[in-house]
Amino acid sequence: MKPSHLFLIVALGLSTAATAQPDARFNVQLFRPSGAPQDLVVVQQARPLSHLSVSAGPYLSYSLNPLSLIPEGGDLSKINLVGNRLQLDVMATVGLFDWAEVGVDMPLILAQGGANLEVIGTEGSVESFVLGDLRLTGKVAIPGLRRPAEGKGWGGAVTLNVSFPTGAQDAFAGDGELTWAPGLVLDYRFENGILLALNGGFWKRPDRVFSGVSVGDMMPFGVGAEVPILRGSGVTAVGMVHGAVGLQKQPDEPRQVPAEALFGLRWYSSTGLTFTFGGGMGCGCSIASPSLSFFTSILWIPAKTREWEALERFKEPPEPPPPPIDPDGDGVIGESDACPDVAGPVANMGCPDTDKDGDGVVDRLDRCPDQPAGSRGKDGCPLARRDGNRIVILEQLNFATDQDIILSESFPILEEVARVMNENTEADRVHVEGHTDSRASDAYNLDLSRRRAASVMRFLVESGVAAERLCSQGFGRSRPLADNATEEGMALNRRVDFTIQPPSDGPRPPCPEDAEDKKRKRPTKKAPATPKAKSKAPAAAPKP
């Protein structure tokens, strides 16, 4: 007994058999193949056959125990109403306009056998040689999802199967009525030839109750894959899981889900014949789920037709990408090289480096590409340079702690400031502005910033800048650039700025701090000159 079978309550006994009435029977055949050579046996792929191309041939399938019942309590052997079935599906398909295909499937049960049917109300075993339900098939590609046989990418199609009641219903080979099944196919073909396909839909069937089990409308499903093994020889492996979910069921009745998994090998021969063979097993989720299945098929496509040519192209492995083109030999390939005829570094997209200011720092690394850095510059920038109405210094000036003494390490910066001023003679007035952080009082910081600004001004005068072109002014902690709550912010706020004043038509106005000193009627204090030479600088003290 197969434990995965659905347990059915079947009363066994002579008296029951004598009084039982036959139930309405149905088609138990789960294996319904597709007739196009690239379809995955019972799972369709999205591509229709090429225009006016024909595919025809037989599918031969064998299923073991396609219809089984389990006695009440499970203490007796299962009853295989249809213990085995050998079926032949004669199929033909034609493509239309590269967008659609139509086909026909005539199933013929060559042989089948099973147990005595007395348990369902009739005497003897199932009839052996009978016809099945004639089936018409159709497929139409979805616009935007039509893929050629050798192509890669997504594919999509809608399908329709219509079955006519030509089969022997008493032999479980037909449904006794017209049935139809619309569906949807979605797949994807990879460049290496691997195909993944997904099928789904709806199957309209007559409502029946057989041995207490509902049989009616269903939702068929299928998922399959094809993987090239020897693509140049046309040998592939196919695998799929297919079945249907029953939509009808009685109270307390498990849902019927006949399904099986199948695997096989396929050969697309150059003669136009496609050979497929394989097998698999059912899940036992329904009374109509076979234990084992085997299948083989030979589908023929006339040689030299468009479909034959498409399959031959599919067998050709994808062409390797062309070798990278690098005419200038700089290692930057193809479209990535902005200068394909001139060698250049990868960091500059294959173009030669340029140095507009001639300071030895290439423009892509030069933070000041229009101004030479000089011998003491950094990152392509000079220690001091003019930027609009300001003279920008590369590093902050350093003073002895709480003093106006300039540390010797800042001498080169101020010498560069003097050079910039002497080269820009039209800048007739530059304000030297001192600023501090927020530590200490306002009065202390204001005085310290004034003294430091004055010290810088004296250094510039001693470096050759005319005194009348300079003013010094302290602002204390009133103009912070950053938050004084952090060490980094305080370091940015301790600074000296150089602001170029607009040119004056008449006499130069007095310096702001000089005017304030005169207003307070106290002479300007003259601080001792700061030596220019580094060797004469006072001993360095800790930085503020």
Side-chain angles (χ1 to χ4, degrees):
M1 177 175 11
K2 184 163 44 174
S4 60
H5 267 108
L6 174 67
F7 282 84
L8 301 175
I9 300 177
V10 181
L12 297 179
L14 294 179
S15 61
T16 304
T19 59
Q21 296 297 321
D23 287 340
R25 301 181 187 183
F26 63 101
N27 189 354
V28 301
Q29 186 69 11
L30 182 60
F31 185 85
R32 289 177 169 84
S34 295
Q38 285 197 303
D39 283 342
L40 307 181
V41 187
V42 290
V43 175
Q44 296 190 67
Q45 51 91 34
R47 186 186 71 86
L49 287 177
S50 300
H51 181 52
L52 296 183
S53 295
V54 176
S55 170
Y59 255 99
L60 192 65
S61 61
Y62 175 82
S63 55
L64 184 65
N65 302 328
L67 180 60
S68 299
L69 303 180
I70 300 298
E72 180 183 5
D75 55 350
L76 296 175
S77 299
K78 63 185 177 183
I79 304 171
N80 298 317
L81 299 181
V82 181
N84 55 79
R85 172 177 284 185
L86 179 64
Q87 178 167 316
L88 174 67
D89 286 85
V90 180
M91 310 190 71
T93 308
V94 61
L96 300 173
F97 311 108
D98 293 327
W99 279 93
E101 70 178 32
V102 293
V104 61
D105 171 19
M106 184 66 249
L108 177 64
I109 289 84
L110 300 179
Q112 65 178 351
N116 196 309
L117 303 180
E118 61 182 355
V119 296
I120 59 171
T122 60
E123 186 65 29
S125 59
V126 66
E127 188 177 355
S128 178
F129 185 84
V130 294
L131 285 176
D133 283 345
L134 175 68
R135 183 164 57 100
L136 299 182
T137 64
K139 179 192 299 181
V140 178
I142 297 174
L145 293 176
R146 186 168 66 94
R147 185 191 63 247
E150 70 280 10
K152 64 178 181 178
W154 290 100
V158 292
T159 62
L160 178 64
N161 291 346
V162 179
S163 297
F164 296 88
T166 58
Q169 184 179 356
D170 288 345
F172 300 100
D175 281 319
E177 294 182 18
L178 181 75
T179 65
W180 47 275
L184 177 67
V185 178
L186 185 65
D187 64 12
Y188 187 86
R189 176 79 74 176
F190 294 89
E191 187 173 3
N192 59 9
I194 294 177
L195 174 70
L196 301 178
L198 179 67
N199 291 186
F202 172 75
W203 186 6
K204 180 61 178 177
R205 305 180 70 183
D207 293 335
R208 302 273 166 75
V209 177
F210 178 79
S211 291
V213 177
S214 298
V215 179
D217 296 342
M218 308 188 88
M219 292 184 63
F221 64 88
V223 58
E226 180 180 31
V227 180
I229 299 177
L230 299 172
R231 186 169 182 176
S233 300
V235 179
T236 67
V238 293
M240 68 227 71
V241 174
H242 76 108
V245 178
L247 301 180
Q248 309 289 338
K249 78 183 195 68
Q250 299 187 62
D252 301 326
E253 174 196 336
R255 190 174 299 278
Q256 296 286 294
V257 187
E260 60 181 348
L262 301 174
F263 303 91
L265 291 175
R266 172 171 288 172
W267 176 35
Y268 300 101
S269 76
S270 296
T271 63
L273 294 175
T274 297
F275 301 89
T276 308
F277 68 92
M281 61 183 64
C283 69
C285 307
S286 169
I287 60 174
S289 183
S291 303
L292 293 173
S293 296
F294 302 94
F295 62 89
T296 185
S297 70
I298 304 175
L299 296 179
W300 173 68
I301 294 175
K304 307 304 180 182
T305 61
R306 294 176 60 183
E307 185 66 17
W308 179 86
E309 293 173 352
L311 292 180
E312 288 299 298
R313 290 194 301 270
F314 166 75
K315 290 161 56 175
E316 298 174 0
E319 295 183 2
I325 300 175
D326 186 15
D328 54 12
D330 59 2
V332 185
I333 308 301
E335 296 181 356
S336 300
D337 197 338
C339 302
D341 299 322
V342 183
V346 176
N348 204 37
M349 298 180 65
C351 290
D353 277 321
T354 57
D355 183 11
K356 290 189 295 185
D357 55 14
D359 59 0
V361 182
V362 297
D363 291 336
R364 61 186 171 84
L365 301 177
D366 198 333
R367 295 175 55 187
C368 303
D370 298 320
Q371 300 183 37
S375 59
R376 294 181 292 189
K378 182 180 179 182
D379 296 331
C381 289
L383 292 179
R385 70 184 190 278
R386 181 172 180 175
D387 185 4
N389 69 332
R390 299 175 62 241
I391 296 177
V392 180
I393 56 179
L394 195 62
E395 299 176 354
Q396 292 284 25
L397 301 178
N398 292 324
F399 297 85
T401 304
D402 291 334
Q403 301 181 54
D404 58 6
I405 300 175
I406 304 171
L407 299 183
S408 60
E409 62 196 51
S410 295
F411 290 173
I413 300 176
L414 289 178
E415 291 171 356
E416 284 294 295
V417 173
R419 178 189 61 79
V420 171
M421 289 193 64
N422 289 331
E423 290 178 354
N424 292 268
T425 56
E426 74 281 1
D428 58 357
R429 177 64 61 86
V430 174
H431 280 184
V432 181
E433 303 169 355
H435 303 272
T436 66
D437 57 35
S438 62
R439 290 179 294 189
S441 65
D442 287 345
Y444 176 85
N445 281 312
L446 182 61
D447 178 66
L448 179 62
S449 65
R450 284 176 174 174
R451 288 188 287 115
R452 287 182 171 179
S455 182
V456 170
M457 176 178 166
R458 287 192 298 272
F459 189 102
L460 294 176
V461 170
E462 293 177 1
S463 297
V465 179
E468 61 270 18
R469 296 178 63 197
L470 293 166
C471 287
S472 67
Q473 186 175 4
F475 292 92
R477 61 182 187 180
S478 63
R479 296 184 179 182
L481 293 178
D483 190 353
N484 279 302
T486 64
E487 288 293 332
E488 294 80 3
M490 288 190 291
L492 290 174
N493 293 330
R494 294 190 299 268
R495 70 192 189 277
V496 174
D497 292 336
F498 301 90
T499 303
I500 300 174
Q501 298 299 307
S504 176
D505 296 334
R508 294 188 182 95
C511 292
E513 206 162 61
D514 292 343
E516 186 175 338
D517 286 339
K518 290 179 180 179
K519 182 179 179 181
R520 294 184 179 185
K521 298 181 179 181
R522 59 182 178 88
T524 303
K525 295 181 179 180
K526 184 176 181 182
T530 302
K532 178 179 179 181
K534 185 180 297 187
S535 59
K536 297 180 182 180
K543 299 179 182 179

